[in-house]
Amino acid sequence: MTGLSNYSAFSFLNYITGQAAMPALPAVYLALFTAVGTDAGTGFTEVSGGAYARMQIAGSVTTNSATTTSSAVIGHAAVPSWVVAGMQAYDATTGHVVGTVQSTTSTTVTLTANAAFAIGSGDAINYSAFPNATGTSPASSSNGATIAFPTATANWGSAMAWGLYDALSGGNLLFWDYMGYFPWLPATVSAASPGVITAHAHGFANGDSFVFTTEYGGTAPTFAAGSYTGLQTVAGVTADTFSVTGVNTSATGNGALRKVGAQSIPSGVTASFSPSTFTLSLA
């Protein structure tokens, strides 16, 4: 349920228990979903058609010249178009963060300041829209670069979630989350028509979207009509309670819920996500 996919979680556990090396990760791509599935990476409905394509947000580019700490320019034989301002430059050969991308040409990347560490010719520079993770309980990383998709030539629908993959198409789902970085809230549900959801100081407004789950603990209520499956719409708001029109319950329940900032992307719109839009967070 949001966060690491099974693929990433299993890989990490096998790594920290000394059973296997972490899989190589040469490139990372951002995908948009109109419906979500399971942590196994199945059941997701990804946007398709209308010029949609996953956007590469990280990858490795080899240098063809050296850069000293008195220069802000990194040289490459060719700079891919996915390398954009705001990305972090990490020298995978030496293990150092060397700076933040300010601008690019067809063969050079200029940092916002001189390289923090010397870069050798032939070094592998990993560029990523996300900086190194920071913080404790939980540690997190939010995109530092603007991520822009191609202009939609058809209605892409409402994107309710996003995911990171290791391939432009197919591949392994690495991480996913709902749109909007909102917290999960504990909630109880009454037996009523409609069922009344209590979540202390939830801060929701009528018309907001949310999702409900028992994956983190709890027991789903018994439904007399409708259900809380999928994206739901808030109604009947008070400070601590709300309901969903038409969802009636015949037995109480509890679980967790969170607000979702679904994004409608009609034809002719360029979906562009500013820095700090996407946050990866782990305990």
Side-chain angles (χ1 to χ4, degrees):
M1 185 64 183
T2 68
L4 294 180
S5 66
N6 286 356
Y7 172 82
S8 295
F10 295 158
S11 296
F12 178 71
L13 289 172
N14 290 338
Y15 168 71
I16 64 171
T17 56
Q19 300 178 69
M22 288 291 285
L25 191 63
V28 181
Y29 298 84
L30 177 70
L32 302 177
F33 303 121
T34 56
V36 302
T38 70
D39 292 343
T42 59
F44 288 84
T45 302
E46 187 174 350
V47 171
S48 63
Y52 170 80
R54 294 176 187 172
M55 293 305 299
Q56 186 168 351
I57 54 92
S60 184
V61 187
T62 302
T63 62
N64 66 352
S65 60
T67 301
T68 69
T69 54
S70 61
S71 173
V73 179
I74 304 174
H76 300 286
V79 176
S81 60
W82 57 264
V83 178
V84 297
M87 284 188 164
Q88 178 175 269
Y90 175 84
D91 190 333
T93 302
T94 63
H96 292 125
V97 174
V98 294
T100 302
V101 176
Q102 181 179 67
S103 62
T104 65
T105 70
S106 61
T107 58
T108 61
V109 172
T110 299
L111 305 175
T112 57
N114 289 342
F117 294 89
I119 301 168
S121 180
D123 283 6
I125 307 299
N126 292 349
Y127 294 102
S128 176
F130 291 84
N132 281 5
T134 59
T136 57
S137 300
S140 63
S141 179
S142 297
N143 62 302
T146 296
I147 303 171
F149 284 79
T151 300
T153 59
N155 186 0
W156 287 1
S158 183
M160 65 178 292
W162 56 277
L164 302 180
Y165 283 90
D166 60 5
L168 179 60
S169 62
N172 298 295
L173 177 64
L174 307 172
F175 186 102
W176 75 276
D177 203 350
Y178 290 102
M179 300 293 288
Y181 188 52
F182 299 106
W184 287 97
L185 304 174
T188 59
V189 184
S190 71
S193 298
V196 176
I197 300 171
T198 300
H200 178 66
H202 52 71
F204 291 180
N206 290 332
D208 281 349
S209 298
F210 77 97
V211 289
F212 178 89
T213 184
T214 57
E215 185 170 343
Y216 299 127
T219 302
T222 302
F223 296 100
S227 73
Y228 294 143
T229 300
L231 202 62
Q232 303 292 309
T233 301
V234 172
V237 164
T238 71
D240 292 333
T241 67
F242 62 92
S243 61
V244 177
T245 302
V247 178
N248 303 333
T249 52
S250 55
T252 61
N254 60 350
L257 56 84
R258 63 165 283 181
K259 183 178 177 179
V260 176
Q263 300 292 308
S264 177
I265 309 174
S267 178
V269 168
T270 300
S272 180
F273 299 93
S274 60
S276 300
T277 298
F278 302 104
T279 298
L280 287 76
S281 181
L282 296 177

